[in-house]
């Protein structure tokens, strides 16, 4: 019995000791660049905010004094990243009214807005004085504003995180004279960061070496790979769509007939399948973490990744290749003599006001404060994982200077600007989860060698038609045509 | 009195299962796509027909799950039995052994999933690193979770790792309650260790084994967390289990009618399997008495 | 004879040790991971043992304080202990009734078992709606009851097996001596099936401790069990591997203490079991 009590006491002491340690919470300093006026004080209202757990909810804590000045107390509900949709949808379906401000991934905006879970924000946005109410949507970069905030012509959400994919490559390898000469001899052209997906495949092949081979003058102790792909189930569709969209493929045509099995898309998938030959053996189960670490540990020459990876690759405490990283446009496809580039914008985050909120006005003030007033501070600190999404963010490299140095910041923002100009959206109409899952599954089956590219995409087209029929074709076509309007406004289609 | 004893359990179970059961039954004959609208449309048996005849993904997932349930649980039983018999021989020291073997059970799948994701990784993980070092590179192990041929196996191995100790403890508890006099008497009659096991111990262990198998089968049928954490059902659909596919339909697509039909079909399958098991046990008992 | 037995024990001990290496390697890996820095998680070749100067509690402190780990331990303990006690308490009564009086026959027992078979995805939303009506979402009750549905059948069936294997004569003689039915159950049956009770308690505790789906759906803020908190450490872009491992290490402590504590009753079952047959 003594032994038990002793271990119990030990454990309790351990827990108490840990509890006694108070961590100092950092917060970024106000920059004073963005001009705004806070909402007039409310009468001590509580606003419940829900979002994916972790550092992206930190801003509500950074600015709690601001909120206190507005008479608002924030209560945060943290949901694991992977379960946000499931959790929010269940609460919405159950009409619990538990949340005032909801954070979600914009792929679900069609679902949430069309089902009436969210409050249209246009009326708040137009209120006077503008310094208090206007979230300056014209400052938000067009793809985020047009595709991820609006539904049916109304604004339902405000972007707080701008995710887009960029190409990263080993600058030192591309600059190496021996490698350049070898490449020229083998392919008859200059070694350059890939402009098209065909170039990508060649460069990937070129840089793939076995342990014992020489790479840039050094003998390799481990195998080295030309490229890697996000080939794990979940986002493999986005890496495929980078290719398909650059070949001019949009998910559906005007009448919602799938365009996903057009020749351009099939060639794109084939290109991705071919790349796997030059990728590490784990590639079929590689997600964000594995891809990032394969690259920053110096095991791959090129990778397409989210825009926060360059920040990590530049950090010598995490990265073996700090100072050797180039960032560029995601490769493209030559269409009529001109190379078109498209970067997928998977995930991202928006905030919205729940339709059944008891305190919609205060909730809007909170959302606007995060999405505009303090957004520059939030995207330029290492304390969050939020990425820039406003022109005013890109115009202020000095805000990022503390994070990465002014020069790097300017280059980083310029790269981001370029990538966002190429931005191509996820499917965001109602049923997006189903459409996306069907696409991802078949792409993944093709990648794992189960079926051919053509078979996979034919399967997707058939499945998509089935989904559209189940969800109600007439309605789906109508919302899709609205979506195409935004595509057109952005110049993504003719 | 007997009724009074069983009443609390029945009330608890009834009050919490009757509504979900009726609701699911009602949903299984309607089409309810919550991603587009909260309106239900009666469709009769269409959902069931679609699941059974038109959904190859459902059958693939059922097949994968069957492998986990049949092969995985069988391994757990054999391993658990072996470990229990061995541990019992260890005299007073067995408590320490049992404690150590039970640790895997204490680790929630959400935790162990993350550990095994790294352990099975070809480039960064310790498993292949150690195998290659020990064999001096002669054996080149596969990229376990990234290979369609082994991805399901990784889920099975993780499940076995976690739950073989469960079988071990159940069987050990059963072994401990077998009367030593009975075994002594058998020994006096000249039974060897082999006969002792097959003729005396195994029949007496049957009830714990059956309940253990049933519980493990039911739970393995629900294998979900590990799939999400290790493979997301991939590569392709090589490790997609029925619980994961049902989850996608229910909590990602919110196709409530279809999910309900799928849930019922699963329920019927599990009921049939359990019935078969229990009738085997009953026959066994009948034969013994 | 004696030396024979010792040899046998050594051989078996060796086998068990080998088996133990396999079963404990992932646990050891988790423990080692809990002292790693983020860049050592995915290193090639892998970092098996973190450098000596890293053996500190940073990841433990981060998990417990930064992410609400203390609350999570408390919530999980409350939910798991309550579920285990309710399941075994209510379950042993029901098991007694089913075993001794064969109430409702096999069909009735099977119905009880079948409540564990239902796919949780299908029952989750109806249960959510029930608890919303009761205003029990984000309370301990919702989670305790959800877990009880799945654990009560297990407890009943396990204990039913144990009671059926007990000779009924002991209780009968007590009843003849004038003890009430409940008295016979309480004083005769329960002590005799203590290995079963202990096993049932242990596993209902563990099943609840490790449960994730209901923990996610039925809670928001006031209640936040360990599994949800740990899953929250896996963000979209930043999986806090070391903190997850540290939380995992913390999460096995109550379970291990419980096993150490309950072990004695399993062992005692050895002498009690002599009464069988």
């Amino acid at each position: 019995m003594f032994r038990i009590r002793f271990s119990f006491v030990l454990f309790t002491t351990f827990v108490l000791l840990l509890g006694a340690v108070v961590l100092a919470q950092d917060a970024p300093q106000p920059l004073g660049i963005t001009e705004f006026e806070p909402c007039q004080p409310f009468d001590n209202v509580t606003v419940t905010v829900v979002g994916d757990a972790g550092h992206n909810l930190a801003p509500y804590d950074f600015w709690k004094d601001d909120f206190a000045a507005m008479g608002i107390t924030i209560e945060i509900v943290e949901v694991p990243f992977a379960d946000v949709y499931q959790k929010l949808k269940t609460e919405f379906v159950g009409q619990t009214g538990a949340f005032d401000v909801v954070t979600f991934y914009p792929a679900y905006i069609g679902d949430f807005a069309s089902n009436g879970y969210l409050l249209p924000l246009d009326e708040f946005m137009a209120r006077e004085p503008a310094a208090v109410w206007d979230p300056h949507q014209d400052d938000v970069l067009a793809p985020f504003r047009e595709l991820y905030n609006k539904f049916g012509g109304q604004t339902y959400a405000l972007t707080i995180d701008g995710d887009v994919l960029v190409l990263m490559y080993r600058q030192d390898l591309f600059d190496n004279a021996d490698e350049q000469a070898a490449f020229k001899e083998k392919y008859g052209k200059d070694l350059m960061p890939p402009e098209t997906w065909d170039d990508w495949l060649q460069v990937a092949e070129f840089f793939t070496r076995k342990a014992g081979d020489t790479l840039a003058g050094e003998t390799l102790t481990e195998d080295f790979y030309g490229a890697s792909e996000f080939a794990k189930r979940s986002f493999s569709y986005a890496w495929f769509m980078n290719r398909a969209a650059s070949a001019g493929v949009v998910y559906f045509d005007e009448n919602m007939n799938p365009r996903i099995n057009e020749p351009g898309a099939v060639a794109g998938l084939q290109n991705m399948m071919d790349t796997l030959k030059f990728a590490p053996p784990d590639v079929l189960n590689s997600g964000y973490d594995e891809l990032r670490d394969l690259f920053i540990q110096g095991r791959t020459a090129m990778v397409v990744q989210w825009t926060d990876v360059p920040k990590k690759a530049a950090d010598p405490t995490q990265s073996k290749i700090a100072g050797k990283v180039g960032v560029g446009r995601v490769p493209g496809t030559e269409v009529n003599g001109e190379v078109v580039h498209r970067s997928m914008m998977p995930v991202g985050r928006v905030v919205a006001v729940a339709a059944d909120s008891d305190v919609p006005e205060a909730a809007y003030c909170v959302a606007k404060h995060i999405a505009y007033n303090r957004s520059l501070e939030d995207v330029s600190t290492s304390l969050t994982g939020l990425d820039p999404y406003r022109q005013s963010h890109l115009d202020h490299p000095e805000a990022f200077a503390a994070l990465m140095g002014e020069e790097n910041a300017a280059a980083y923002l310029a790269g981001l600007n370029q990538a966002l100009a190429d931005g191509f959206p996820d499917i965001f109409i109602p049923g997006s989860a189903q459409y996306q899952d069907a696409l991802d599954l078949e792409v993944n089956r093709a990648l794992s060698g189960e079926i051919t590219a053509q078979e996979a995409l034919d399967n997707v087209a058939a499945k998509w038609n089935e989904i559209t029929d189940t969800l109600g074709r007439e309605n789906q076509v109508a919302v899709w045509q609205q979506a195409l309007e935004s595509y057109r406004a952005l110049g993504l289609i003719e | 009195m007997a009724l009074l004893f069983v009443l609390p359990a029945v009330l608890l179970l009834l009050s919490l299962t009757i509504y979900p059961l009726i609701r699911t039954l009602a949903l299984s004959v309607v089409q309810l796509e919550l991603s587009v609208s909260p309106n239900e449309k009666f469709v009769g048996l269409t959902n069931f027909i679609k699941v059974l005849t038109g959904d190859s993904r459902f059958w693939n997932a059922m097949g994968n799950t069957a492998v986990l349930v049949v092969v995985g649980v069988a391994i757990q039983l054999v391993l658990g039995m072996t470990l229990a018999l061995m541990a019992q021989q260890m005299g007073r020291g067995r408590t320490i052994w049992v404690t150590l073997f039970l640790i895997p059970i204490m680790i929630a799948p959400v935790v162990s999933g993350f550990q095994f994701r790294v352990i099975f990784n070809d480039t960064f993980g310790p498993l292949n690193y150690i195998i290659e070092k020990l064999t001096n590179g002669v054996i080149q192990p596969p990229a376990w979770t990234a290979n369609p041929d082994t991805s399901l196996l990784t889920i099975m191995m993780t499940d076995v790792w976690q739950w073989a100790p469960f079988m071990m403890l159940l069987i050990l508890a059963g072994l401990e309650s077998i009367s030593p006099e009975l075994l002594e008497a058998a020994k006096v009659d000249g039974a060897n260790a082999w006969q002792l096991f097959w003729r005396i111990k195994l029949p007496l262990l049957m009830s714990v084994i059956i309940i253990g198998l049933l519980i493990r089968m039911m739970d393995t049928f629900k294998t979900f967390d590990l799939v999400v954490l290790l493979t997301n059902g991939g590569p392709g659909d090589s490790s997609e289990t029925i619980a994961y596919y049902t989850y996608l339909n229910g909590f990602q697509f919110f196709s409530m009618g279809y999910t309900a039909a799928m849930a019922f079909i699963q329920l019927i399958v599990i009921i049939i399997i359990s019935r078969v098991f229990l009738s085997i046990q009953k026959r066994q008992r009948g034969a013994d008495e | 004879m004696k030396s024979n037995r010792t040899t046998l024990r050594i051989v078996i001990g060796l086998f068990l040790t080998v088996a133990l290496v396999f079963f404990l390697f992932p646990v050891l890996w988790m423990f080692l991971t809990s002292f790693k820095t983020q860049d050592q998680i995915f290193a090639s070749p892998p970092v098996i043992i973190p450098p000596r100067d890293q053996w500190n509690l940073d990841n433990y402190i981060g998990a417990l304080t930064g992410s609400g780990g203390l609350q999570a331990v408390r919530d999980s303990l409350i939910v798991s202990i309550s579920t285990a006690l309710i399941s075994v308490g209510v379950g042993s009564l029901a098991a007694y009734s089913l075993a001794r009086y064969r109430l409702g026959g096999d069909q009735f027992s099977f119905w009880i078992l079948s409540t564990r078979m239902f796919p949780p995805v299908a029952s989750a939303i109806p249960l959510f709606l029930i608890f919303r009506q009761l205003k029990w979402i984000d309370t301990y009750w919702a989670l305790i009851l959800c877990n009880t549905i799945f654990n009560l059948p297990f407890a009943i069936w396990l204990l039913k097996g144990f009671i059926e294997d007990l000779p009924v004569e002991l209780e009968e003689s007590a009843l003849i001596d004038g003890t009430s039915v409940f008295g016979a159950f309480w004083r005769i049956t329960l002590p005799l099936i203590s290995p079963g009770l202990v096993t049932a308690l242990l596993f209902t505790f563990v099943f609840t401790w490790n449960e994730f789906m209901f923990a996610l759906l039925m809670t928001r803020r006031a209640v936040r069990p360990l599994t949800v908190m740990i899953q929250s450490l896996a963000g979209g872009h930043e999986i806090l591997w070391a903190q997850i491992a540290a939380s995992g290490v913390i999460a096995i402590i109550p379970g291990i203490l419980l096993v150490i504590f309950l072990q004695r009753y399993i062992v005692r079952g050895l002498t009690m079991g002599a009464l069988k047959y």
Side-chain angles (χ1 to χ4, degrees), chain A residues 15-26, chain C residues 61-62 64-66 70:
Chain A
V15 170
L16 289 178
L17 264 180
L18 293 181
V21 182
V22 179
L23 284 184
Q25 281 292 341
D26 290 333
Chain C
I61 294 169
L64 282 177
T65 60
L70 279 177

Side-chain angles (χ1 to χ4, degrees), chain C residues 74-88 144 201 204-205 208-209 254 258:
Chain C
R74 184 196 68 198
D75 290 349
S76 278
L77 277 177
I78 292 175
V79 172
S80 306
I81 291 174
S82 310
T83 305
L85 290 178
I86 293 177
S87 302
V88 175
I144 292 169
L201 264 181
T204 47
F205 177 88
T208 313
W209 187 260
L258 198 66

Side-chain angles (χ1 to χ4, degrees), chain A residues 7 11 15 18 53 75-78 80-81 83 87 91 94 98 222 288-289 293 297 299 306 308 312, chain C residues 42 44 61 64-65 70 132 212 216-217 219-221 224 231-232 234 236-239 241 253 257 264:
Chain A
S7 51
F11 174 60
V15 170
L18 293 181
E75 282 200 347
I76 294 176
V77 176
E78 296 187 69
F81 169 80
D83 309 300
K87 179 72 182 162
E91 298 267 2
E222 286 170 313
Y288 170 84
D289 291 77
D293 285 43
Q297 307 251 358
R299 301 294 298 271
W306 273 279
D308 57 328
K312 293 190 170 110
Chain C
F42 284 140
S44 173
I61 294 169
L64 282 177
T65 60
L70 279 177
R132 182 203 59 183
F212 174 69
L216 172 77
L217 281 181
T219 65
R220 290 178 196 131
R221 185 165 187 274
R224 206 152 171 271
Q231 179 79 357
S232 295
H237 280 193
E238 194 81 77
I239 298 180
W241 298 92
I253 293 174
L257 292 179
R264 313 177 155 252

